[in-house]
Amino acid sequence: MPSNKSVSDAPIVQFTNCRILREHRLQREDLWVREGKILNPEKLFFDEKGSADVQLDCKDSIIAPGFIDVQINGGFGVDFSLATDDFKSGIDLVSQKILSHGVTSFCPTLVTSPPSVYHQVLPQISVRNGGAHGAGVLGAHLEGPFISKEKKGAHPEHCLRTFEAGAFQDLLATYGSLDCVQIVTLAPEMRRSSEVIRELAKRGICVSLGHSVANLSQAEEAVQHGATFITHLFNAMLPFHHRDPGIVGLLTSDKIPAGRRVFYGMISDGIHTNPAALRIAHRAHPKGLVLVTDAIAGMGLAPGRHTLGQQVVEIDGLNTYIAGTKTLSGSVATMDTCVRHFQEATGCSVETALEAASLHPAQLLGIEHKKGTLDYDSDADFLMLNDSLYVQATYIAGEEVWRQDVLGM
């Protein structure tokens, strides 16, 4: 076998007998991986005169980029909005458990909380690569407290805040630090929100519009100032109205700056959004749809009482409510379930369903050059799935980090 030593001593793994999601379609070709990156086989053959050290037969599996969850409040008994002494071990547990659901990167999400919680929790969240220990952490998603009282949903009213004279300083004082923050959800109709959006965007932080009573022109103005995302479309915002469609109208707005795309999160669990609404959004703006779980601590656990930050929530089947009410509070859906439901509800292609959980969130966060695709030189974070989109194995940096037990299939 020709030597690969000229470029690298690292072994080359060739995944064969598979269909790869590349350039928006499933292509029957092999996947080549070395040192955690996806290789261009032409360069390998012709420039390096190299070949595979290991061949793996994928048995006709689909290979797709790993899923990226940009809104997950916790799971498996861990609540990211609770300040605990062992918070880091909670992050570790969730990041390990979500591997079986195909998530290779995520944004731990904090709901509206008192400043003391942000000050305790945020220093304990650090951006890190994924691996055998669990999915990678891309940075925190701070959902609130600068949101609308009328559309607070499951967020505690006594913790909501407004922007005062030094708006951005208010935000900094509330959170304590923005070092590990990737996304901030706020209500754009709040006074002085424009200067906050501009400042966050300037720092490379994604601004999401949500928990809001904004009309369409306020939403469009927020996008012009740098907002690029909508938090769980249709939930906790004004319902679509034909004379003023509100934030929902951003999906077909003609006031979006040239070259900018507005993305929107969807909780595709069959409960938060009627399948007809899911179809409307997808048909109106397919390239902006980002699947999120909005999962709470009760994900992966039996029905009963759990927490969501300052609130007690009750799980009844797949429904999660603030205890004693019928106010929905997050979900217990896993990302692979959301992908399957999305495909079933919309009748979209397998490729489209998979990209809504991988390519689109990567584009939203501006990391599509390394995550969310199987392009050459990108990170080898990928999944093997069967034709029904059940995850069979999860790989991070080219290493297998989870595999379905054959007996459990």
Side-chain angles (χ1 to χ4, degrees):
M1 185 170 69
S3 167
N4 303 313
K5 303 284 185 213
S6 59
V7 173
S8 169
D9 289 336
I12 294 168
V13 183
Q14 177 188 7
F15 294 82
T16 66
N17 190 16
C18 52
R19 289 157 292 154
I20 300 176
L21 177 56
R22 186 176 280 152
E23 293 172 350
H24 316 299
R25 60 191 180 89
L26 289 177
Q27 309 190 27
R28 189 164 283 288
E29 56 185 74
D30 295 351
L31 185 76
W32 299 74
V33 173
R34 178 174 58 198
E35 291 187 313
K37 299 286 183 187
I38 291 167
L39 281 182
N40 180 343
E42 285 196 13
K43 279 190 182 172
L44 175 66
F45 303 149
F46 298 115
D47 297 354
E48 298 181 36
K49 306 288 188 279
S51 61
D53 297 295
V54 181
Q55 281 190 328
L56 288 176
D57 182 348
C58 301
K59 302 185 173 143
D60 205 34
S61 296
I62 292 169
I63 292 191
F67 298 149
I68 299 170
D69 194 352
V70 299
Q71 188 176 9
I72 171 171
N73 310 292
F76 315 99
V78 175
D79 184 343
F80 296 145
S81 301
L82 285 184
T84 57
D85 292 338
D86 60 346
F87 183 85
K88 282 185 175 170
S89 63
I91 287 259
D92 291 346
L93 176 72
V94 174
S95 68
Q96 219 285 316
K97 292 276 197 181
I98 57 181
L99 293 175
S100 65
H101 301 292
V103 178
T104 54
S105 303
F106 70 110
C107 294
T109 303
L110 279 73
V111 295
T112 294
S113 304
S116 59
V117 169
Y118 297 114
H119 294 190
Q120 279 177 272
V121 167
L122 288 180
Q124 299 187 71
I125 297 177
S126 49
V127 174
R128 68 179 190 204
N129 293 325
H133 59 274
V137 177
L138 298 170
H141 177 169
L142 305 181
E143 187 187 0
F146 300 98
I147 56 174
S148 157
K149 191 163 71 171
E150 293 84 355
K151 291 293 177 184
K152 67 183 187 298
H155 293 238
E157 189 170 329
H158 70 278
C159 295
L160 299 182
R161 299 174 77 86
T162 54
F163 295 121
E164 302 307 324
F168 190 70
Q169 291 311 310
D170 287 344
L171 180 135
L172 277 179
T174 301
Y175 295 146
S177 165
L178 292 172
D179 287 351
C180 67
V181 176
Q182 183 73 256
I183 304 173
V184 171
T185 293
L186 53 77
E189 72 276 13
M190 295 180 80
R191 288 178 63 220
R192 305 187 181 89
S193 66
S194 294
E195 58 191 90
V196 172
I197 294 169
R198 278 197 301 266
E199 191 59 43
L200 287 169
K202 200 191 298 176
R203 292 171 182 233
I205 293 170
C206 167
V207 177
S208 190
L209 311 180
H211 288 277
S212 162
V213 293
N215 59 35
L216 178 56
S217 65
Q218 288 169 322
E220 287 170 335
E221 189 182 333
V223 171
Q224 285 152 12
H225 286 128
T228 54
F229 194 38
I230 303 169
T231 295
H232 45 52
L233 187 78
F234 296 126
N235 292 285
M237 60 186 62
L238 291 179
F240 178 88
H241 189 280
H242 56 286
R243 277 193 290 278
D244 190 338
I247 288 177
V248 178
L250 287 175
L251 270 61
T252 57
S253 169
D254 58 1
K255 304 269 191 323
I256 308 299
R260 177 91 57 79
R261 186 187 305 177
V262 174
F263 293 88
Y264 59 97
M266 296 289 294
I267 309 167
S268 171
D269 61 354
I271 290 158
H272 278 77
T273 314
N274 185 284
L278 196 52
R279 288 191 286 273
I280 287 170
H282 175 244
R283 289 175 194 175
H285 185 28
K287 290 187 174 169
L289 193 149
V290 172
L291 292 177
V292 298
T293 60
D294 198 20
I296 63 167
M299 175 178 69
L301 301 181
R305 291 203 158 199
H306 301 280
T307 63
L308 178 59
Q310 310 296 302
Q311 314 261 45
V312 176
V313 298
E314 211 148 4
I315 298 177
D316 177 13
L318 289 177
N319 294 287
T320 61
Y321 303 112
I322 294 179
T325 76
K326 286 296 175 189
T327 300
L328 281 176
S329 54
S331 89
V332 288
T334 56
M335 183 59 91
D336 55 329
T337 306
C338 291
V339 170
R340 290 191 295 271
H341 177 72
F342 171 57
Q343 204 231 342
E344 192 182 323
T346 62
C348 71
S349 67
V350 164
E351 293 93 334
T352 296
L354 293 168
E355 287 187 343
S358 55
L359 174 63
H360 295 176
Q363 290 171 328
L364 165 72
L365 300 178
I367 57 173
E368 71 272 22
H369 59 289
K370 55 182 179 173
K371 306 274 187 199
T373 77
L374 298 178
D375 292 346
Y376 303 138
D377 298 324
S378 59
D379 293 351
D381 298 355
F382 58 88
L383 314 175
M384 287 185 195
L385 306 108
N386 64 19
D387 285 355
S388 301
L389 301 186
Y390 283 86
V391 181
Q392 298 171 315
T394 303
Y395 285 76
I396 293 181
E399 299 290 327
E400 183 182 292
V401 293
W402 181 84
R403 177 167 287 276
Q404 172 73 57
D405 177 2
V406 177
L407 296 174
M409 287 185 82

